Amino acid sequence: MINVLSYTCIGLGIFFWFWGTFPLLGDRSVLFKLHSLSVADTLGSMSIIIGLLLKIPSEWPLLILAIISLAIWNTVLGYVLAYCSSSEGSHE
């Protein structure tokens, strides 16, 4: 049962990775494309890590650290992108 749940999480993560690339082909703004990609990539990566956590629970400290790092990194990156795209953050 754990193997099925683990592979389901990993498969869902891979699905999110591919699903996040489809907005890149649209005609929307670059920031919308980056936001869609980063959210889908974060969810996909976290789902894969949870699947690995179910598969190899002996490595839980490193896998929990990876989940926390993903959450913090993508949040900070979102703020940096928003600041750089705002009129106050531009250096023109």
Side-chain angles (χ1 to χ4, degrees):
M1 181 64 183
I2 295 295
N3 278 337
V4 172
L5 191 57
S6 173
Y7 288 128
T8 302
C9 286
I10 292 171
L12 185 67
I14 292 171
F15 171 76
F16 273 127
W17 276 357
F18 285 112
W19 184 50
T21 59
F22 291 127
L24 295 177
L25 303 174
D27 292 334
R28 294 210 139 167
S29 70
V30 173
L31 291 176
F32 176 83
K33 292 177 182 182
L34 282 175
H35 174 70
S36 300
L37 180 65
S38 67
V39 168
D41 185 44
T42 302
L43 289 176
S45 297
M46 286 184 176
S47 179
I48 290 171
I49 292 172
I50 289 171
L52 290 174
L53 186 60
L54 293 171
K55 195 85 170 138
I56 46 174
S58 62
E59 298 293 330
W60 71 268
L62 291 175
L63 293 172
I64 296 296
L65 181 64
I67 288 174
I68 293 169
S69 298
L70 273 171
I72 291 172
W73 169 252
N74 283 327
T75 303
V76 169
L77 182 63
Y79 284 123
V80 168
L81 287 174
Y83 179 77
C84 290
S85 68
S86 70
S87 60
E88 296 172 9
S90 63
H91 301 289
E92 295 178 13

